[in-house]
Structure formats: C-alpha cells, structure tokens
Amino acid sequence: GGAGLSIEQSADVALQSVFTQEGLDNFGFMQKLPQRVKDAYAGYEPTRSYGLIVNHLQQPHFHTDTGLQERLTLLYYANLYWDKDWGGETIFTDDRVDEVIYTSRLVPGRIVLFDSKIPHKPSTPSAKADAFRLTFVINLIFRKNVHAFFSFC
C-alpha cells in the first residue's frame, strides 16, 4: 500500500479501494455482467475485488495478479467517456516481459478476462486526459468443474 508515502514517493502507486465479498454482492456488478462473460468464468468465484484510479503522474510497472494456477482476472474499464488519444490501455506481455503479446485499448464498458499469471500493466494516461483512468478488477479462483465450450468471435 501507499500508507506513509509522500506524493513524490508514490508515483507508482495507484489509488485503490478494496471491496469485501459483501460489498461486491451489494454492488451487484457480477449480476449485471453479460451472460457470455458469466459463461467464460463459470466455475470460478471472486477472491478479491477493487477499484483503481490512475492518472498521468503515476508510473505503473509490469506485474501479475498471482503466480498461482487456475486464477483469472476480470478487468472492467469503468470510465463513461475516454478519448482514444488519452492512452491508458492495458499492455500484456510474455512471461519474461520481453514481448508485447496483446494491448487492450481503454474502451468505456469493455471487459477483459485473462489468466492472472500474464504480466501486464496499464499505460500512463496522457496529461491531456480530462479524467482519471478508472478500472474495476475482480480476481477469480477456480472452485468447481464446469463442462462447457466457448467460441468468441
């Protein structure tokens, strides 16, 4: 956490607000997800959820959400408006953080579901951005077998 850090020392720390399981349930976010997203994480249950706020002063680093097997991360871009020139995309790399394997542009309302072991980071938004980069993250753990096949266009 960033407790006790000065503004200068905390340039790489985003503002974060953690939800309890009860808070997540009361928020109702999971219930409002499209069915195809719910189907994609069938058998998984939330272990942690939090909101993140990032601005142009922060310098995010590549990280994984966990090194453990059978974990997913659901990333929701919560901004209602975001200009494509403001940056703020999420960059995903190979395991050694040598090659970019995917970049998800920040599109309001977009949901990205990925293996929590994949290194990633948000890019710093432009200083010209009229808003903070807002995301809602849910870490999921596999709890039960579900037999299903998925095909996304």
Side-chain angles (χ1 to χ4, degrees):
L5 297 178
S6 70
I7 295 297
E8 295 79 23
Q9 293 171 313
S10 63
D12 63 338
V13 179
L15 291 174
Q16 183 179 58
S17 179
V18 177
F19 284 65
T20 63
Q21 184 60 47
E22 180 182 6
L24 179 61
D25 292 342
N26 290 339
F27 184 39
F29 179 81
M30 304 283 288
Q31 293 80 6
K32 296 175 186 171
L33 290 171
Q35 188 59 48
R36 66 187 173 104
V37 174
K38 291 179 186 178
D39 291 344
Y41 71 79
Y44 287 79
E45 295 176 2
T47 59
R48 183 171 183 242
S49 57
Y50 49 96
L52 289 172
I53 299 173
V54 176
N55 68 22
H56 70 281
L57 297 174
Q58 289 150 331
Q59 300 298 315
H61 300 283
F62 282 105
H63 65 280
T64 62
D65 291 339
T66 184
L68 302 175
Q69 299 292 329
E70 299 183 332
R71 307 287 174 112
L72 294 176
T73 297
L74 186 149
L75 172 66
Y76 173 71
Y77 296 115
N79 292 80
L80 297 178
Y81 174 78
W82 193 263
D83 188 288
K84 63 183 174 189
D85 291 328
W86 292 349
E89 61 274 348
T90 304
I91 302 166
F92 298 88
T93 69
D94 63 9
D95 290 342
R96 294 184 316 256
V97 192
D98 289 333
E99 299 287 331
V100 173
I101 58 172
Y102 183 73
T103 300
S104 176
R105 190 167 66 86
L106 193 162
V107 174
R110 174 175 279 172
I111 296 169
V112 182
L113 188 64
F114 60 94
D115 186 319
S116 298
K117 295 183 319 245
I118 297 173
H120 61 282
K121 77 170 187 171
S123 71
T124 303
S126 165
K128 295 180 181 178
D130 289 345
F132 292 109
R133 178 189 189 272
L134 306 175
T135 54
F136 185 65
V137 179
I138 301 173
N139 299 124
L140 302 153
I141 185 171
F142 186 74
R143 295 282 191 212
K144 57 186 169 229
N145 288 320
V146 176
H147 300 286
F149 296 90
F150 305 99
S151 177
F152 297 98
C153 298

